Amino acid sequence: MSTTPARRPGGRSAKVRDAVYTAVGQLMGEGKADRITIPLLANRAGVNPTSIYRRWGDLDTLLEEVAVAALTKDGDDLPDTGSLRGDLSAWARIVIDDITQPRRTRYLRAMTSARDEVLTCPCWEQRRTQAKVMLDRARARGEQAPTEQQVLDHVIAPMYHHVVFGLAADRDYADQLVHDVITMA
Amino acid sequence: MSTTPARRPGGRSAKVRDAVYTAVGQLMGEGKADRITIPLLANRAGVNPTSIYRRWGDLDTLLEEVAVAALTKDGDDLPDTGSLRGDLSAWARIVIDDITQPRRTRYLRAMTSARDEVLTCPCWEQRRTQAKVMLDRARARGEQAPTEQQVLDHVIAPMYHHVVFGLAADRDYADQLVHDVITMA
DNA sequence: AGCTTAAAGCAAAGACTTCTGCAATAATGG
DNA sequence: CCATTATTGCAGAAGTCTTTGCTTTAAGCT
């Protein structure tokens, strides 16, 4: 990705990394999230376990890395419906649909176990950026709008909370949250 | 706990269970949350590993059980300040102080990894009950009050979310959330 | 193209975890 | 108080994960 002097991110390393990432994704998808071990992963990836031990050290580090990669790679372009409520509602639905997929849910949970006193994470920064775009547009139209932080706290956080702790979360729930945060403005 | 015909919850089993619970608490407190193993736990508890294997089967089951036990055992009596804002603010501070303790945080994270498609949990039910008491009091005084669900979604959920994902969470943050949810009513 | 060396593969040793009989202990019921 | 039997302790076996030193491969540079 950048000019690293003594590193070799070239074809071979990348190949191994991709194979391992893919293997993690597969095993997660098969519901074996909590029975993943390094030898199992290595076998699935067609890679030597030693390579994983040396590159990532332990399983948590690897899972964290894969989780962040998976959760920040969004292809969704932001909705632009002409009203803040419409935008947030559509966005919240996209997000809830995304994170309730079993594989994504497992990634989220993997993130929590690996985490220790990290003050920021690409995932939330991404959501914040997305929120900002929609809020700025709304303000430009002269609409009353909540702050970015309020959107994160009252729409994003409750949804993630529900998903991570295994509580019910669907589109109606997302709509309700958007309604509440609009009321707040 | 109940009239189980063929079980023996008598002194000895209880002793072992308590020893194991205590050992889990100790190791959690020492920051070795993710390096806990059954043999390690058994050694600390002065119990034979076999006993743990036979009673709980695997580590996740045990940790989940301990986590729920720890997180639902509150001794805090609810604040009664005379106003809803005062009550919620004091309560939110109690909660945030509680769950930001390293040991509690680890319990919370343990809960997420063990969880799979559980739709309800004693922890949230307890918070809901607490919220209901304060909201009923407020309504009896004629105050405008949000719903229980709103309190859970917009005060409790964001705090837990922050804690679980390692984001900053302090009393000022709790106050802000209470302010927002009051605005909503 | 040839050289250097970061990174992966290989294999065997070591450590740890988990399981399985059998013996010992003590909680319940008569 | 005695008999029953749920539950724990013990020890050894089996299986799995992790580490380590060395060899092989190929990316980056001149």
Side-chain angles (χ1 to χ4, degrees), chain A residues 46-92:
Chain A
V47 162
N48 198 289
T50 309
S51 304
I52 299 182
Y53 283 116
R54 282 207 260 252
R55 260 174 82 153
W56 286 283
D58 60 64
L59 193 60
D60 281 339
T61 304
L62 170 57
L63 289 183
E64 158 89 10
E65 191 177 305
V66 177
V68 171
L71 292 168
T72 55
K73 169 178 37 176
D74 71 333
D76 3 306
D77 22 25
L78 290 176
D80 189 359
T81 64
S83 76
L84 179 60
R85 175 185 286 267
D87 285 358
L88 287 181
S89 185
W91 182 57

Side-chain angles (χ1 to χ4, degrees), chain B residues 162-183:
Chain B
H162 264 55
V163 167
V164 166
F165 285 100
L167 306 171
D170 56 17
R171 291 182 166 191
D172 287 340
Y173 180 62
D175 280 342
Q176 180 61 47
L177 294 173
V178 170
H179 173 83
D180 287 345
V181 84
I182 295 275
T183 306

Side-chain angles (χ1 to χ4, degrees), chain B residues 106-119:
Chain B
R106 296 198 188 91
Y107 280 131
L108 278 174
R109 290 180 181 158
M111 275 186 57
T112 70
S113 50
R115 192 151 300 273
D116 213 16
E117 296 175 31
V118 182
L119 290 180

Side-chain angles (χ1 to χ4, degrees), chain A residues 122-137:
Chain A
C123 304
W124 317 128
E125 288 315 307
Q126 186 189 33
R127 297 302 183 196
R128 182 186 297 275
T129 304
Q130 293 177 330
K132 182 167 166 47
V133 172
M134 292 180 290
L135 292 172
D136 284 346
R137 271 202 306 241

Side-chain angles (χ1 to χ4, degrees), chain B residues 10-137:
Chain B
R12 200 189 186 189
S13 293
K15 212 168 183 175
V16 170
R17 192 194 59 238
D18 289 346
V20 172
Y21 275 32
T22 303
V24 171
Q26 286 179 0
L27 291 172
M28 289 282 195
E30 292 166 19
K32 300 172 185 169
D34 34 2
R35 275 159 198 162
I36 289 183
T37 64
I38 289 181
L40 180 68
L41 213 49
N43 178 52
R44 176 67 67 101
V47 163
N48 197 290
T50 309
S51 304
I52 299 181
Y53 283 117
R54 282 205 265 250
R55 261 174 81 153
W56 286 281
D58 60 67
L59 194 60
D60 280 340
T61 304
L62 169 58
L63 289 183
E64 159 89 9
E65 190 177 305
V66 177
V68 171
L71 292 168
T72 55
K73 170 178 39 176
D74 73 332
D76 4 306
D77 22 25
L78 290 177
D80 188 0
T81 64
S83 76
L84 180 59
R85 175 185 287 267
D87 285 359
L88 287 181
S89 184
W91 182 57
R93 284 169 177 234
I94 291 173
V95 173
I96 200 77
D97 285 348
D98 185 42
I99 64 179
T100 50
Q101 290 173 41
R103 185 176 311 184
R104 293 302 176 96
T105 302
R106 296 198 188 91
Y107 280 131
L108 278 174
R109 290 180 181 158
M111 275 186 57
T112 70
S113 50
R115 192 151 300 273
D116 213 16
E117 296 175 31
V118 182
L119 290 180
T120 181
C121 164
C123 304
W124 316 127
E125 288 315 307
Q126 186 189 32
R127 296 303 184 199
R128 183 185 295 276
T129 304
Q130 292 177 330
K132 182 168 165 48
V133 172
M134 292 180 290
L135 292 172
D136 285 346
R137 270 201 307 244

